[in-house]
Amino acid sequence: MKKFIKSTVAVASAMTMAFTMASVPVMSTLADDAEPTVEPEKFVTWEMADDEVHYILAGSFGKVAWEPLAKDNEMTPVEGMDGVYSYTAELPENEGEGEEKVYQSEFKICKITNSVGSGWDASLCVGTNVYADNQSQIKVLNENAGTYTVYLDTNTGAVIVKSGDDVVDIQIKWVGFGDEAPFMAPEEIAKTTVADWPAGKVMVDEIPDVAAINKAFADKVNKFYNYVPWEMGDEVAYTVAGGFGSATWKPLSRANTMTATSWANVYSFTAELPAYSEETEWQNRFKVCRINDTVGSGWDGSLCVGTNVYSDNQSQIRILNEEAGTFTIYCDTKTGAVVVKDAAGKLIDLSISWVGYDNETQFMTPEEIAKTTVADWPEDKVKVDAIPDVAAINAALVQKLSVQNTLKLSCSTKTIYTGKAGNTVKVKATVTGSSKKVTWKSSKTSVATISGSGTTVTVKAKKAGTTVISAKANGITKKITIKVKNPSITVKKGSKKVSSISLKKGKSATLKVTTSPAKSGVKAAYATTSSKKVIKISTKSDKVTVKAIKKGTAKIKITSGGASKTVTVKVK
């Protein structure tokens, strides 16, 4: 057994059952008087496929302590981020004193393939893409107990730890274990050289700038999870910043993004809420924020409910639900209406702090807001000339939501052809709902184009290939796959298929051209400039007449749409 395993067991023997997660089978962290637990399920490397790869977080806060092959410790791919993996676990408070507390906040990352042994021989050297025996160990310097997520970029070897939106400081034992190498801050590692590390273990020629590599990765992760307004261009998003969001009171968090619905200009967000109470009302409170390239922190794009004004310190909404459950917020971005429904579709009462914050304004029902005037509100914050009738505006949204929107297309796939026959298809959209307007788009106009407008359009073939025709109405998008093919061409002389013919000087022959689809159109042309000195050709409908002029060889190119056939003519 490796030296590191031995030292881990020695430390683990002094730990209590509080060290482990409840009801999780762990072998190396049991107290002396504890009942033995079942062996955790492990990856069996010699039974893995050649292209199978897993990344394991082996640490004291993993579900199975210090076991690099444990399936329960597998990091999962972050959807949408190529090569990025994550693992979330609970950590106790780490004051940085004493081996027991240190080990509860330490881990390694191991790459598991069919070529590794125990798993330790494939541990990451942080800041590189090297995995070898006895490489980096990471210590999380968390001041508080809580939920922490480890992120790994397999492309660069970057490793960061986050608590919510915040990146937590870490130290790294860059190469080797125990007394062979110290834990260091990422900034300190860059100041060392290969000669400073245990001989025989360093698998790189140059020490990486781990701090810079990790910072670049942290910026990448933050950008992925949060909107960066000045990089958004034409993009516009609507977020719910509230006490119950995935990222509490973070208007720029992508996790809080409202999604477009089938109703025009209406966006929604669904969340779990506790029952409303005076003591916990912050958990039932939110703002709707419009995020684009002109906002700063996000707060300066918050909605003034009942208007289409988004400005700093505008409306906060409280959901006055009597029971806990699942609730969906709907916002009409055109009118500024906001309503909330429970899982059964029942409308839930709201109170709104129409302008500003608690100590500047009071929460009121939509009906009460309409009874106020601009003079009743903080002078420097009201961005409207007249107080809207929020209750009526919200009621209009409720009515809008009661109309079910649907969109159906007349087909899901279709094959058309280049040429004169079978080169078009009509596509009809059947629309119900608040609007009959349909927007059409071809993903590849070089393959097929759309003509017409309204609920029925014509798709015309341009060249062989595949395109997707999209129809959008009332926020619903439906798609059709259009396959464009070239016609097939068959050339016959009499009843025999030919690709070459022979003629005596002065004689003629008629070639019969058949296409599929029929009537796709036939054209004949001299394939080479010299051919016109040897033969004379003419086309009538689907027949090509060839007359021999002088001895030699000529070629005829017969085309139909994007398809072609070449016929060789030998004149004797």
Side-chain angles (χ1 to χ4, degrees), residues 240-278:
V240 168
F244 53 85
S246 300
T248 302
W249 294 106
K250 299 284 186 179
L252 294 178
S253 170
R254 290 183 182 270
N256 290 359
T257 303
M258 304 186 79
T259 56
T261 69
S262 61
W263 296 279
N265 307 305
V266 177
Y267 290 73
S268 70
F269 183 87
T270 300
E272 298 294 318
L273 291 185
Y276 172 81
S277 72
E278 292 286 345

Side-chain angles (χ1 to χ4, degrees), residues 64 107 149 156 207 242 305 355 376 486 535:
V64 179
F107 65 90
T149 300
T156 63
I207 303 297
V305 177
V355 176
D376 297 322
N486 292 322
I535 61 173

Side-chain angles (χ1 to χ4, degrees), residues 58-365:
S60 291
F61 60 92
K63 292 181 180 178
V64 179
W66 293 108
E67 176 50 75
L69 294 177
K71 290 188 174 182
D72 278 344
N73 287 5
E74 182 173 11
M75 304 185 79
T76 55
V78 176
E79 187 176 352
M81 296 189 76
D82 183 45
V84 176
Y85 290 72
S86 70
Y87 184 91
T88 300
E90 297 297 316
L91 284 186
E93 179 183 353
N94 178 17
E95 298 175 356
E97 299 292 337
E99 282 189 325
E100 185 171 330
K101 288 186 177 180
V102 166
Y103 269 94
Q104 291 183 65
S105 298
E106 287 182 16
F107 65 90
K108 275 180 166 286
I109 292 176
C110 298
K111 180 181 181 181
I112 308 303
T113 66
N114 62 6
S115 63
V116 304
S118 67
W120 296 120
D121 50 349
S123 63
L124 174 66
C125 190
V126 177
T128 76
N129 56 7
V130 172
Y131 293 80
D133 188 32
N134 292 356
Q135 299 303 298
S136 308
Q137 194 169 335
I138 298 117
K139 183 194 299 183
V140 186
L141 305 181
N142 56 299
E143 296 180 358
N144 302 307
T147 303
Y148 293 83
T149 300
V150 179
Y151 292 91
L152 162 70
D153 187 344
T154 61
N155 303 297
T156 63
V159 177
I160 62 171
V161 179
K162 295 190 73 178
S163 173
D165 282 345
D166 299 323
V167 176
V168 181
D169 288 338
I170 58 175
Q171 289 181 347
I172 302 171
K173 191 178 289 187
W174 196 66
V175 176
F177 300 137
D179 56 0
E180 296 170 343
F183 277 101
M184 306 173 71
E187 293 81 2
E188 296 172 325
I189 292 171
K191 299 174 184 177
T192 65
T193 66
V194 173
D196 297 321
W197 298 94
K201 291 184 179 177
V202 180
M203 305 299 176
V204 293
D205 298 324
E206 186 177 346
I207 303 297
D209 188 343
V210 177
I213 293 168
N214 282 5
K215 183 182 184 304
F217 182 41
D219 292 342
K220 178 180 176 180
V221 172
N222 285 336
K223 184 176 178 180
F224 179 76
Y225 286 109
N226 296 280
Y227 290 99
V228 183
W230 53 91
E231 296 179 3
M232 290 180 66
D234 295 334
E235 184 182 3
V236 177
Y238 296 91
T239 64
V240 168
F244 53 85
S246 300
T248 302
W249 294 106
K250 299 284 186 179
L252 294 178
S253 170
R254 290 183 182 270
N256 290 359
T257 303
M258 304 186 79
T259 56
T261 69
S262 61
W263 296 279
N265 307 305
V266 177
Y267 290 73
S268 70
F269 183 87
T270 300
E272 298 294 318
L273 291 185
Y276 172 81
S277 72
E278 292 286 345
E279 294 76 21
T280 62
E281 59 90 19
W282 275 93
Q283 297 179 58
N284 295 64
R285 195 193 297 190
F286 69 93
K287 278 176 171 278
V288 173
C289 296
R290 182 172 66 188
I291 309 302
N292 57 26
D293 62 358
T294 65
V295 304
S297 66
W299 296 120
D300 49 349
S302 64
L303 174 66
C304 190
V305 177
T307 76
N308 58 7
V309 172
Y310 293 80
S311 188
D312 187 34
N313 293 354
Q314 299 303 300
S315 309
Q316 291 192 37
I317 302 114
R318 287 195 302 202
I319 304 174
L320 307 179
N321 53 298
E322 295 180 358
E323 297 180 357
T326 303
F327 298 85
T328 300
I329 299 163
Y330 296 92
C331 174
D332 188 328
T333 59
K334 188 174 183 179
T335 66
V338 176
V339 299
V340 177
K341 291 187 175 185
D342 65 12
K346 178 185 175 183
L347 199 65
I348 304 300
D349 289 337
L350 307 175
S351 63
I352 303 171
S353 175
W354 197 66
V355 176
Y357 296 135
D358 286 353
N359 60 343
E360 297 165 344
T361 62
Q362 59 181 328
F363 278 91
M364 307 170 72
T365 66

Side-chain angles (χ1 to χ4, degrees), residues 343-541:
K346 178 185 175 183
L347 199 65
I348 304 300
D349 289 337
L350 307 175
S351 63
I352 303 171
S353 175
W354 197 66
V355 176
Y357 296 135
D358 286 353
N359 60 343
E360 297 165 344
T361 62
Q362 59 181 328
F363 278 91
M364 307 170 72
T365 66
E367 291 79 8
E368 291 172 331
I369 291 171
K371 298 176 183 178
T372 65
T373 67
V374 172
D376 297 322
W377 299 93
E379 183 179 356
D380 60 335
K381 292 182 178 176
V382 179
K383 309 297 181 183
V384 293
D385 297 325
I387 304 297
D389 188 343
V390 177
I393 293 168
N394 283 6
L397 175 56
V398 174
Q399 178 60 34
K400 189 175 185 177
L401 297 176
S402 69
V403 179
Q404 187 63 43
N405 295 311
T406 64
L407 172 61
K408 294 182 180 179
L409 300 183
S410 54
C411 56
S412 57
T413 60
K414 201 73 177 179
T415 299
I416 55 178
Y417 295 84
T418 58
K420 292 182 178 180
N423 65 342
T424 63
V425 61
K426 286 189 179 297
V427 182
K428 182 179 180 180
T430 303
V431 185
T432 62
S434 52
S435 172
K436 299 296 182 183
K437 182 181 178 181
V438 183
T439 303
W440 299 87
K441 183 180 179 181
S442 172
S443 65
K444 291 184 180 179
T445 54
S446 60
V447 173
T449 57
I450 299 169
S451 61
S453 59
T455 57
T456 302
V457 295
T458 299
V459 180
K460 185 175 182 178
K462 299 290 286 183
K463 71 173 186 178
T466 300
T467 186
V468 175
I469 304 298
S470 300
K472 185 176 182 180
N474 294 318
I476 305 172
T477 300
K478 296 290 184 180
K479 298 179 179 181
I480 296 175
T481 299
I482 299 290
K483 296 179 180 179
V484 177
K485 295 183 178 180
N486 292 322
S488 62
I489 301 174
T490 302
V491 181
K492 290 183 178 181
K493 182 183 177 186
S495 61
K496 183 180 179 182
K497 291 182 181 180
V498 295
S499 59
S500 64
I501 61 172
S502 295
L503 288 175
K504 289 184 178 180
K505 181 181 176 180
K507 297 294 183 180
S508 298
T510 299
L511 303 176
K512 171 74 173 178
V513 182
T514 304
T515 61
S516 178
K519 300 181 180 180
S520 292
V522 174
K523 292 182 180 180
Y526 297 104
T528 62
T529 303
S530 60
S531 295
K532 63 176 63 178
K533 297 179 180 180
V534 178
I535 61 173
K536 183 179 180 180
I537 59 174
S538 61
T539 305
K540 186 176 181 179
S541 187

